[in-house]
Amino acid sequence: MPSKGSTETATLAGGCFWCLEAIFSALRGVHSVKSGFAGGHTVNPSYEEVCTGTTGHAEVVQIIFDPREISFGDLLDVFFGIHDPTTINRQGPDVGTQYRSAIFFHTEEQRRIAEAVIGELEAKRIFDLPVVTEVVPFTVFYSAEAHHEDYYRLNPHQPYCQRAIEPKIAKFRRDFQGKLR
């Protein structure tokens, strides 16, 4: 059992980090969500470099959460409910290795939970196609540039936000109403 005031970290990739940040920030028990990059070979990449697909990085969010309020498994339920984990290197209009679906586990317990959740999704045939989400060890997180933080909240009328993020948020609010702040 975590001690009072303890937090855990989750690092997830499921397409555009603007979408993920807007959704995970709305969950009860989540203290912070930071957009950035993980899983590649380039040290401290820029957004422009990651967009080329040559750095090996995925767009990710790093989530600091209180496991007494929301579990890692609950975060994964939201994660699998808001993106398509059956498409390799693609989420909607976003295509490239930087948009892959991945769980970067910080502990063996997170790895075990991630594999169990994926196994359950597969056993229940929740998706028409196999889940291709990578479950890989976390190594390093690089923060995205400051103008990417809180992007949706600051730019709700931007066409990408309206076309790609708004429908995901609406679905999230409908499906996970009991987990909202």
Side-chain angles (χ1 to χ4, degrees):
M1 185 72 171
S3 63
K4 184 176 178 157
S6 68
T7 59
E8 291 184 24
T9 302
T11 304
L12 305 173
C16 172
F17 51 36
W18 296 338
C19 297
L20 297 176
E21 180 193 47
I23 288 170
F24 284 104
S25 295
L27 289 170
R28 188 175 49 252
V30 170
H31 292 284
S32 68
V33 181
K34 187 134 183 76
S35 294
F37 316 106
H41 51 78
T42 301
V43 176
N44 201 25
S46 68
Y47 176 76
E48 288 74 21
E49 290 172 316
V50 172
C51 284
T52 68
T54 61
T55 68
H57 289 288
E59 287 193 18
V60 300
V61 288
Q62 192 155 78
I63 304 163
I64 306 300
F65 66 100
D66 184 338
R68 294 165 303 158
E69 294 182 59
I70 189 166
S71 70
F72 183 68
D74 288 338
L75 291 176
L76 294 184
D77 288 345
V78 171
F79 176 69
F80 285 111
I82 62 168
H83 85 292
D84 181 353
T86 68
T87 56
I88 296 175
N89 301 330
R90 177 182 198 121
Q91 287 299 307
D94 301 319
V95 179
T97 58
Q98 67 271 29
Y99 300 114
R100 67 188 179 270
S101 177
I103 299 165
F104 294 92
F105 62 87
H106 290 255
T107 65
E108 280 302 306
E109 178 72 1
Q110 285 186 355
R111 180 195 59 75
R112 186 193 64 70
I113 292 168
E115 289 174 353
V117 168
I118 291 170
E120 187 174 317
L121 292 170
E122 293 284 302
K124 291 182 177 177
R125 298 188 187 280
I126 300 297
F127 300 101
D128 292 336
L129 298 169
V131 172
V132 297
T133 303
E134 300 173 357
V135 178
V136 293
F138 172 80
T139 54
V140 65
F141 172 82
Y142 297 106
S143 294
E145 295 85 350
H147 63 274
H148 292 289
E149 292 303 316
D150 218 6
Y151 191 86
Y152 173 74
R153 187 181 66 76
L154 298 172
N155 301 281
H157 301 295
Q158 197 260 11
Y160 180 89
C161 292
Q162 291 184 338
R163 192 175 57 254
I165 301 174
E166 192 65 39
K168 282 188 177 190
I169 289 176
K171 180 182 185 311
F172 158 72
R173 290 190 183 283
R174 183 185 69 242
D175 294 351
F176 296 98
Q177 195 170 27
K179 295 189 186 316
L180 297 176
R181 292 184 187 274

PDB file of all heavy atoms in Angstrom, residues 55-86:
ATOM      1  N   THR A  55      13.693   9.716 -35.206  1.00  0.00           N
ATOM      2  CA  THR A  55      14.299   9.705 -33.870  1.00  0.00           C
ATOM      3  C   THR A  55      13.981   8.433 -33.087  1.00  0.00           C
ATOM      4  O   THR A  55      14.609   8.154 -32.074  1.00  0.00           O
ATOM      5  CB  THR A  55      13.821  10.905 -33.025  1.00  0.00           C
ATOM      6  OG1 THR A  55      12.429  10.730 -32.728  1.00  0.00           O
ATOM      7  CG2 THR A  55      14.056  12.232 -33.738  1.00  0.00           C
ATOM      8  N   GLY A  56      12.973   7.696 -33.547  1.00  0.00           N
ATOM      9  CA  GLY A  56      12.535   6.502 -32.831  1.00  0.00           C
ATOM     10  C   GLY A  56      11.582   6.790 -31.685  1.00  0.00           C
ATOM     11  O   GLY A  56      11.044   5.872 -31.073  1.00  0.00           O
ATOM     12  N   HIS A  57      11.371   8.055 -31.361  1.00  0.00           N
ATOM     13  CA  HIS A  57      10.511   8.423 -30.237  1.00  0.00           C
ATOM     14  C   HIS A  57       9.038   8.362 -30.606  1.00  0.00           C
ATOM     15  O   HIS A  57       8.664   8.536 -31.761  1.00  0.00           O
ATOM     16  CB  HIS A  57      10.836   9.841 -29.758  1.00  0.00           C
ATOM     17  CG  HIS A  57      12.138   9.943 -29.064  1.00  0.00           C
ATOM     18  ND1 HIS A  57      12.359   9.443 -27.802  1.00  0.00           N
ATOM     19  CD2 HIS A  57      13.319  10.478 -29.464  1.00  0.00           C
ATOM     20  CE1 HIS A  57      13.602   9.668 -27.462  1.00  0.00           C
ATOM     21  NE2 HIS A  57      14.221  10.294 -28.453  1.00  0.00           N
ATOM     22  N   ALA A  58       8.234   8.137 -29.588  1.00  0.00           N
ATOM     23  CA  ALA A  58       6.783   8.252 -29.694  1.00  0.00           C
ATOM     24  C   ALA A  58       6.369   9.511 -28.945  1.00  0.00           C
ATOM     25  O   ALA A  58       7.025   9.899 -27.967  1.00  0.00           O
ATOM     26  CB  ALA A  58       6.096   7.045 -29.065  1.00  0.00           C
ATOM     27  N   GLU A  59       5.301  10.145 -29.401  1.00  0.00           N
ATOM     28  CA  GLU A  59       4.685  11.208 -28.611  1.00  0.00           C
ATOM     29  C   GLU A  59       4.029  10.515 -27.413  1.00  0.00           C
ATOM     30  O   GLU A  59       3.276   9.549 -27.584  1.00  0.00           O
ATOM     31  CB  GLU A  59       3.632  11.966 -29.410  1.00  0.00           C
ATOM     32  CG  GLU A  59       4.201  12.877 -30.451  1.00  0.00           C
ATOM     33  CD  GLU A  59       3.179  13.845 -31.032  1.00  0.00           C
ATOM     34  OE1 GLU A  59       2.106  14.057 -30.417  1.00  0.00           O
ATOM     35  OE2 GLU A  59       3.464  14.389 -32.103  1.00  0.00           O
ATOM     36  N   VAL A  60       4.341  10.991 -26.214  1.00  0.00           N
ATOM     37  CA  VAL A  60       3.819  10.372 -24.994  1.00  0.00           C
ATOM     38  C   VAL A  60       3.296  11.431 -24.041  1.00  0.00           C
ATOM     39  O   VAL A  60       3.581  12.618 -24.190  1.00  0.00           O
ATOM     40  CB  VAL A  60       4.910   9.546 -24.251  1.00  0.00           C
ATOM     41  CG1 VAL A  60       5.458   8.440 -25.129  1.00  0.00           C
ATOM     42  CG2 VAL A  60       6.028  10.424 -23.727  1.00  0.00           C
ATOM     43  N   VAL A  61       2.563  10.961 -23.060  1.00  0.00           N
ATOM     44  CA  VAL A  61       2.266  11.782 -21.888  1.00  0.00           C
ATOM     45  C   VAL A  61       2.842  11.068 -20.679  1.00  0.00           C
ATOM     46  O   VAL A  61       2.807   9.839 -20.592  1.00  0.00           O
ATOM     47  CB  VAL A  61       0.757  12.057 -21.691  1.00  0.00           C
ATOM     48  CG1 VAL A  61       0.252  13.029 -22.734  1.00  0.00           C
ATOM     49  CG2 VAL A  61      -0.054  10.794 -21.671  1.00  0.00           C
ATOM     50  N   GLN A  62       3.406  11.870 -19.793  1.00  0.00           N
ATOM     51  CA  GLN A  62       3.886  11.333 -18.528  1.00  0.00           C
ATOM     52  C   GLN A  62       2.906  11.814 -17.458  1.00  0.00           C
ATOM     53  O   GLN A  62       2.693  13.013 -17.284  1.00  0.00           O
ATOM     54  CB  GLN A  62       5.299  11.788 -18.229  1.00  0.00           C
ATOM     55  CG  GLN A  62       5.873  10.993 -17.074  1.00  0.00           C
ATOM     56  CD  GLN A  62       7.380  10.960 -17.120  1.00  0.00           C
ATOM     57  OE1 GLN A  62       8.014  11.930 -16.746  1.00  0.00           O
ATOM     58  NE2 GLN A  62       7.947   9.853 -17.549  1.00  0.00           N
ATOM     59  N   ILE A  63       2.280  10.851 -16.807  1.00  0.00           N
ATOM     60  CA  ILE A  63       1.189  11.100 -15.876  1.00  0.00           C
ATOM     61  C   ILE A  63       1.675  10.827 -14.458  1.00  0.00           C
ATOM     62  O   ILE A  63       2.169   9.740 -14.170  1.00  0.00           O
ATOM     63  CB  ILE A  63      -0.006  10.174 -16.194  1.00  0.00           C
ATOM     64  CG1 ILE A  63      -0.446  10.348 -17.650  1.00  0.00           C
ATOM     65  CG2 ILE A  63      -1.156  10.412 -15.217  1.00  0.00           C
ATOM     66  CD1 ILE A  63      -1.318   9.212 -18.161  1.00  0.00           C
ATOM     67  N   ILE A  64       1.522  11.814 -13.586  1.00  0.00           N
ATOM     68  CA  ILE A  64       1.795  11.629 -12.161  1.00  0.00           C
ATOM     69  C   ILE A  64       0.433  11.456 -11.497  1.00  0.00           C
ATOM     70  O   ILE A  64      -0.440  12.333 -11.619  1.00  0.00           O
ATOM     71  CB  ILE A  64       2.548  12.833 -11.553  1.00  0.00           C
ATOM     72  CG1 ILE A  64       3.816  13.149 -12.351  1.00  0.00           C
ATOM     73  CG2 ILE A  64       2.853  12.580 -10.073  1.00  0.00           C
ATOM     74  CD1 ILE A  64       4.832  12.044 -12.425  1.00  0.00           C
ATOM     75  N   PHE A  65       0.252  10.323 -10.827  1.00  0.00           N
ATOM     76  CA  PHE A  65      -1.065  10.019 -10.265  1.00  0.00           C
ATOM     77  C   PHE A  65      -0.951   9.451  -8.863  1.00  0.00           C
ATOM     78  O   PHE A  65       0.106   8.940  -8.463  1.00  0.00           O
ATOM     79  CB  PHE A  65      -1.830   9.050 -11.178  1.00  0.00           C
ATOM     80  CG  PHE A  65      -1.237   7.674 -11.286  1.00  0.00           C
ATOM     81  CD1 PHE A  65      -1.764   6.611 -10.556  1.00  0.00           C
ATOM     82  CD2 PHE A  65      -0.149   7.428 -12.115  1.00  0.00           C
ATOM     83  CE1 PHE A  65      -1.222   5.340 -10.654  1.00  0.00           C
ATOM     84  CE2 PHE A  65       0.404   6.155 -12.212  1.00  0.00           C
ATOM     85  CZ  PHE A  65      -0.139   5.109 -11.478  1.00  0.00           C
ATOM     86  N   ASP A  66      -2.040   9.552  -8.125  1.00  0.00           N
ATOM     87  CA  ASP A  66      -2.120   9.008  -6.773  1.00  0.00           C
ATOM     88  C   ASP A  66      -2.825   7.655  -6.862  1.00  0.00           C
ATOM     89  O   ASP A  66      -4.024   7.601  -7.148  1.00  0.00           O
ATOM     90  CB  ASP A  66      -2.911   9.957  -5.874  1.00  0.00           C
ATOM     91  CG  ASP A  66      -2.950   9.501  -4.427  1.00  0.00           C
ATOM     92  OD1 ASP A  66      -2.749   8.293  -4.156  1.00  0.00           O
ATOM     93  OD2 ASP A  66      -3.191  10.359  -3.559  1.00  0.00           O
ATOM     94  N   PRO A  67      -2.096   6.557  -6.630  1.00  0.00           N
ATOM     95  CA  PRO A  67      -2.706   5.233  -6.775  1.00  0.00           C
ATOM     96  C   PRO A  67      -3.797   4.943  -5.748  1.00  0.00           C
ATOM     97  O   PRO A  67      -4.549   3.986  -5.907  1.00  0.00           O
ATOM     98  CB  PRO A  67      -1.520   4.283  -6.630  1.00  0.00           C
ATOM     99  CG  PRO A  67      -0.515   5.049  -5.845  1.00  0.00           C
ATOM    100  CD  PRO A  67      -0.699   6.493  -6.232  1.00  0.00           C
ATOM    101  N   ARG A  68      -3.926   5.777  -4.722  1.00  0.00           N
ATOM    102  CA  ARG A  68      -5.018   5.603  -3.764  1.00  0.00           C
ATOM    103  C   ARG A  68      -6.323   6.141  -4.337  1.00  0.00           C
ATOM    104  O   ARG A  68      -7.396   5.786  -3.873  1.00  0.00           O
ATOM    105  CB  ARG A  68      -4.697   6.311  -2.444  1.00  0.00           C
ATOM    106  CG  ARG A  68      -3.515   5.678  -1.701  1.00  0.00           C
ATOM    107  CD  ARG A  68      -2.999   6.568  -0.618  1.00  0.00           C
ATOM    108  NE  ARG A  68      -2.629   7.839  -1.238  1.00  0.00           N
ATOM    109  CZ  ARG A  68      -2.530   8.983  -0.574  1.00  0.00           C
ATOM    110  NH1 ARG A  68      -2.780   9.047   0.700  1.00  0.00           N
ATOM    111  NH2 ARG A  68      -2.176  10.081  -1.209  1.00  0.00           N
ATOM    112  N   GLU A  69      -6.217   7.016  -5.366  1.00  0.00           N
ATOM    113  CA  GLU A  69      -7.403   7.603  -5.983  1.00  0.00           C
ATOM    114  C   GLU A  69      -7.721   6.991  -7.339  1.00  0.00           C
ATOM    115  O   GLU A  69      -8.883   6.908  -7.730  1.00  0.00           O
ATOM    116  CB  GLU A  69      -7.221   9.114  -6.149  1.00  0.00           C
ATOM    117  CG  GLU A  69      -7.135   9.854  -4.836  1.00  0.00           C
ATOM    118  CD  GLU A  69      -7.015  11.346  -5.068  1.00  0.00           C
ATOM    119  OE1 GLU A  69      -7.931  11.920  -5.700  1.00  0.00           O
ATOM    120  OE2 GLU A  69      -6.018  11.933  -4.630  1.00  0.00           O
ATOM    121  N   ILE A  70      -6.684   6.612  -8.094  1.00  0.00           N
ATOM    122  CA  ILE A  70      -6.868   5.996  -9.405  1.00  0.00           C
ATOM    123  C   ILE A  70      -5.720   5.011  -9.614  1.00  0.00           C
ATOM    124  O   ILE A  70      -4.559   5.342  -9.365  1.00  0.00           O
ATOM    125  CB  ILE A  70      -6.946   7.046 -10.540  1.00  0.00           C
ATOM    126  CG1 ILE A  70      -7.353   6.375 -11.861  1.00  0.00           C
ATOM    127  CG2 ILE A  70      -5.657   7.844 -10.653  1.00  0.00           C
ATOM    128  CD1 ILE A  70      -7.788   7.364 -12.937  1.00  0.00           C
ATOM    129  N   SER A  71      -6.049   3.819 -10.009  1.00  0.00           N
ATOM    130  CA  SER A  71      -5.016   2.791 -10.179  1.00  0.00           C
ATOM    131  C   SER A  71      -4.388   2.862 -11.570  1.00  0.00           C
ATOM    132  O   SER A  71      -4.948   3.457 -12.494  1.00  0.00           O
ATOM    133  CB  SER A  71      -5.615   1.400  -9.965  1.00  0.00           C
ATOM    134  OG  SER A  71      -6.481   1.084 -11.046  1.00  0.00           O
ATOM    135  N   PHE A  72      -3.245   2.220 -11.714  1.00  0.00           N
ATOM    136  CA  PHE A  72      -2.619   2.105 -13.025  1.00  0.00           C
ATOM    137  C   PHE A  72      -3.560   1.371 -13.980  1.00  0.00           C
ATOM    138  O   PHE A  72      -3.701   1.749 -15.139  1.00  0.00           O
ATOM    139  CB  PHE A  72      -1.268   1.383 -12.902  1.00  0.00           C
ATOM    140  CG  PHE A  72      -0.520   1.277 -14.196  1.00  0.00           C
ATOM    141  CD1 PHE A  72      -0.002   2.407 -14.812  1.00  0.00           C
ATOM    142  CD2 PHE A  72      -0.327   0.054 -14.807  1.00  0.00           C
ATOM    143  CE1 PHE A  72       0.697   2.320 -16.010  1.00  0.00           C
ATOM    144  CE2 PHE A  72       0.373  -0.055 -16.007  1.00  0.00           C
ATOM    145  CZ  PHE A  72       0.878   1.091 -16.611  1.00  0.00           C
ATOM    146  N   GLY A  73      -4.236   0.350 -13.478  1.00  0.00           N
ATOM    147  CA  GLY A  73      -5.211  -0.376 -14.295  1.00  0.00           C
ATOM    148  C   GLY A  73      -6.343   0.519 -14.774  1.00  0.00           C
ATOM    149  O   GLY A  73      -6.793   0.413 -15.916  1.00  0.00           O
ATOM    150  N   ASP A  74      -6.817   1.422 -13.915  1.00  0.00           N
ATOM    151  CA  ASP A  74      -7.848   2.383 -14.323  1.00  0.00           C
ATOM    152  C   ASP A  74      -7.332   3.304 -15.422  1.00  0.00           C
ATOM    153  O   ASP A  74      -8.053   3.624 -16.363  1.00  0.00           O
ATOM    154  CB  ASP A  74      -8.316   3.226 -13.136  1.00  0.00           C
ATOM    155  CG  ASP A  74      -9.157   2.454 -12.138  1.00  0.00           C
ATOM    156  OD1 ASP A  74      -9.731   1.412 -12.512  1.00  0.00           O
ATOM    157  OD2 ASP A  74      -9.233   2.898 -10.974  1.00  0.00           O
ATOM    158  N   LEU A  75      -6.077   3.751 -15.292  1.00  0.00           N
ATOM    159  CA  LEU A  75      -5.486   4.588 -16.340  1.00  0.00           C
ATOM    160  C   LEU A  75      -5.462   3.831 -17.665  1.00  0.00           C
ATOM    161  O   LEU A  75      -5.761   4.398 -18.721  1.00  0.00           O
ATOM    162  CB  LEU A  75      -4.070   5.025 -15.965  1.00  0.00           C
ATOM    163  CG  LEU A  75      -3.928   6.012 -14.808  1.00  0.00           C
ATOM    164  CD1 LEU A  75      -2.449   6.261 -14.516  1.00  0.00           C
ATOM    165  CD2 LEU A  75      -4.644   7.318 -15.098  1.00  0.00           C
ATOM    166  N   LEU A  76      -5.129   2.540 -17.597  1.00  0.00           N
ATOM    167  CA  LEU A  76      -5.090   1.740 -18.826  1.00  0.00           C
ATOM    168  C   LEU A  76      -6.485   1.520 -19.404  1.00  0.00           C
ATOM    169  O   LEU A  76      -6.642   1.481 -20.627  1.00  0.00           O
ATOM    170  CB  LEU A  76      -4.388   0.410 -18.585  1.00  0.00           C
ATOM    171  CG  LEU A  76      -2.900   0.495 -18.259  1.00  0.00           C
ATOM    172  CD1 LEU A  76      -2.304  -0.897 -18.151  1.00  0.00           C
ATOM    173  CD2 LEU A  76      -2.141   1.344 -19.264  1.00  0.00           C
ATOM    174  N   ASP A  77      -7.496   1.398 -18.548  1.00  0.00           N
ATOM    175  CA  ASP A  77      -8.872   1.290 -19.060  1.00  0.00           C
ATOM    176  C   ASP A  77      -9.224   2.529 -19.889  1.00  0.00           C
ATOM    177  O   ASP A  77      -9.805   2.419 -20.971  1.00  0.00           O
ATOM    178  CB  ASP A  77      -9.875   1.146 -17.908  1.00  0.00           C
ATOM    179  CG  ASP A  77      -9.817  -0.211 -17.239  1.00  0.00           C
ATOM    180  OD1 ASP A  77      -9.224  -1.153 -17.817  1.00  0.00           O
ATOM    181  OD2 ASP A  77     -10.363  -0.323 -16.127  1.00  0.00           O
ATOM    182  N   VAL A  78      -8.858   3.704 -19.381  1.00  0.00           N
ATOM    183  CA  VAL A  78      -9.097   4.944 -20.127  1.00  0.00           C
ATOM    184  C   VAL A  78      -8.254   4.938 -21.397  1.00  0.00           C
ATOM    185  O   VAL A  78      -8.754   5.231 -22.492  1.00  0.00           O
ATOM    186  CB  VAL A  78      -8.789   6.181 -19.251  1.00  0.00           C
ATOM    187  CG1 VAL A  78      -8.823   7.461 -20.084  1.00  0.00           C
ATOM    188  CG2 VAL A  78      -9.765   6.266 -18.079  1.00  0.00           C
ATOM    189  N   PHE A  79      -6.980   4.602 -21.268  1.00  0.00           N
ATOM    190  CA  PHE A  79      -6.046   4.567 -22.402  1.00  0.00           C
ATOM    191  C   PHE A  79      -6.603   3.727 -23.554  1.00  0.00           C
ATOM    192  O   PHE A  79      -6.668   4.175 -24.692  1.00  0.00           O
ATOM    193  CB  PHE A  79      -4.710   4.011 -21.906  1.00  0.00           C
ATOM    194  CG  PHE A  79      -3.659   3.807 -22.957  1.00  0.00           C
ATOM    195  CD1 PHE A  79      -3.055   4.871 -23.589  1.00  0.00           C
ATOM    196  CD2 PHE A  79      -3.235   2.523 -23.281  1.00  0.00           C
ATOM    197  CE1 PHE A  79      -2.067   4.678 -24.538  1.00  0.00           C
ATOM    198  CE2 PHE A  79      -2.247   2.312 -24.223  1.00  0.00           C
ATOM    199  CZ  PHE A  79      -1.658   3.395 -24.860  1.00  0.00           C
ATOM    200  N   PHE A  80      -7.053   2.508 -23.239  1.00  0.00           N
ATOM    201  CA  PHE A  80      -7.572   1.632 -24.293  1.00  0.00           C
ATOM    202  C   PHE A  80      -8.959   2.055 -24.770  1.00  0.00           C
ATOM    203  O   PHE A  80      -9.391   1.660 -25.842  1.00  0.00           O
ATOM    204  CB  PHE A  80      -7.557   0.172 -23.844  1.00  0.00           C
ATOM    205  CG  PHE A  80      -6.182  -0.420 -23.849  1.00  0.00           C
ATOM    206  CD1 PHE A  80      -5.545  -0.738 -22.660  1.00  0.00           C
ATOM    207  CD2 PHE A  80      -5.507  -0.636 -25.040  1.00  0.00           C
ATOM    208  CE1 PHE A  80      -4.269  -1.271 -22.665  1.00  0.00           C
ATOM    209  CE2 PHE A  80      -4.229  -1.162 -25.059  1.00  0.00           C
ATOM    210  CZ  PHE A  80      -3.608  -1.481 -23.869  1.00  0.00           C
ATOM    211  N   GLY A  81      -9.642   2.882 -23.983  1.00  0.00           N
ATOM    212  CA  GLY A  81     -10.955   3.371 -24.385  1.00  0.00           C
ATOM    213  C   GLY A  81     -10.921   4.611 -25.259  1.00  0.00           C
ATOM    214  O   GLY A  81     -11.937   4.978 -25.842  1.00  0.00           O
ATOM    215  N   ILE A  82      -9.762   5.262 -25.358  1.00  0.00           N
ATOM    216  CA  ILE A  82      -9.705   6.540 -26.081  1.00  0.00           C
ATOM    217  C   ILE A  82      -8.849   6.518 -27.338  1.00  0.00           C
ATOM    218  O   ILE A  82      -8.744   7.531 -28.032  1.00  0.00           O
ATOM    219  CB  ILE A  82      -9.221   7.690 -25.172  1.00  0.00           C
ATOM    220  CG1 ILE A  82      -7.803   7.423 -24.666  1.00  0.00           C
ATOM    221  CG2 ILE A  82     -10.209   7.925 -24.035  1.00  0.00           C
ATOM    222  CD1 ILE A  82      -7.132   8.593 -24.006  1.00  0.00           C
ATOM    223  N   HIS A  83      -8.201   5.396 -27.616  1.00  0.00           N
ATOM    224  CA  HIS A  83      -7.430   5.332 -28.860  1.00  0.00           C
ATOM    225  C   HIS A  83      -7.584   3.943 -29.466  1.00  0.00           C
ATOM    226  O   HIS A  83      -8.126   3.039 -28.841  1.00  0.00           O
ATOM    227  CB  HIS A  83      -5.952   5.700 -28.621  1.00  0.00           C
ATOM    228  CG  HIS A  83      -5.075   4.587 -28.164  1.00  0.00           C
ATOM    229  ND1 HIS A  83      -5.188   3.980 -26.928  1.00  0.00           N
ATOM    230  CD2 HIS A  83      -4.056   3.953 -28.782  1.00  0.00           C
ATOM    231  CE1 HIS A  83      -4.273   3.028 -26.814  1.00  0.00           C
ATOM    232  NE2 HIS A  83      -3.569   2.991 -27.927  1.00  0.00           N
ATOM    233  N   ASP A  84      -7.112   3.788 -30.689  1.00  0.00           N
ATOM    234  CA  ASP A  84      -7.215   2.504 -31.376  1.00  0.00           C
ATOM    235  C   ASP A  84      -5.897   1.746 -31.205  1.00  0.00           C
ATOM    236  O   ASP A  84      -4.916   2.056 -31.883  1.00  0.00           O
ATOM    237  CB  ASP A  84      -7.518   2.722 -32.857  1.00  0.00           C
ATOM    238  CG  ASP A  84      -7.674   1.423 -33.629  1.00  0.00           C
ATOM    239  OD1 ASP A  84      -7.422   0.336 -33.050  1.00  0.00           O
ATOM    240  OD2 ASP A  84      -8.031   1.482 -34.812  1.00  0.00           O
ATOM    241  N   PRO A  85      -5.863   0.755 -30.328  1.00  0.00           N
ATOM    242  CA  PRO A  85      -4.628   0.014 -30.080  1.00  0.00           C
ATOM    243  C   PRO A  85      -4.368  -1.094 -31.102  1.00  0.00           C
ATOM    244  O   PRO A  85      -3.486  -1.923 -30.913  1.00  0.00           O
ATOM    245  CB  PRO A  85      -4.854  -0.566 -28.684  1.00  0.00           C
ATOM    246  CG  PRO A  85      -6.323  -0.830 -28.658  1.00  0.00           C
ATOM    247  CD  PRO A  85      -6.938   0.318 -29.434  1.00  0.00           C
ATOM    248  N   THR A  86      -5.143  -1.095 -32.183  1.00  0.00           N
ATOM    249  CA  THR A  86      -4.995  -2.155 -33.194  1.00  0.00           C
ATOM    250  C   THR A  86      -4.328  -1.660 -34.469  1.00  0.00           C
ATOM    251  O   THR A  86      -4.144  -2.443 -35.400  1.00  0.00           O
ATOM    252  CB  THR A  86      -6.367  -2.767 -33.564  1.00  0.00           C
ATOM    253  OG1 THR A  86      -7.142  -1.798 -34.262  1.00  0.00           O
ATOM    254  CG2 THR A  86      -7.102  -3.249 -32.318  1.00  0.00           C
TER     255      THR A  86
END
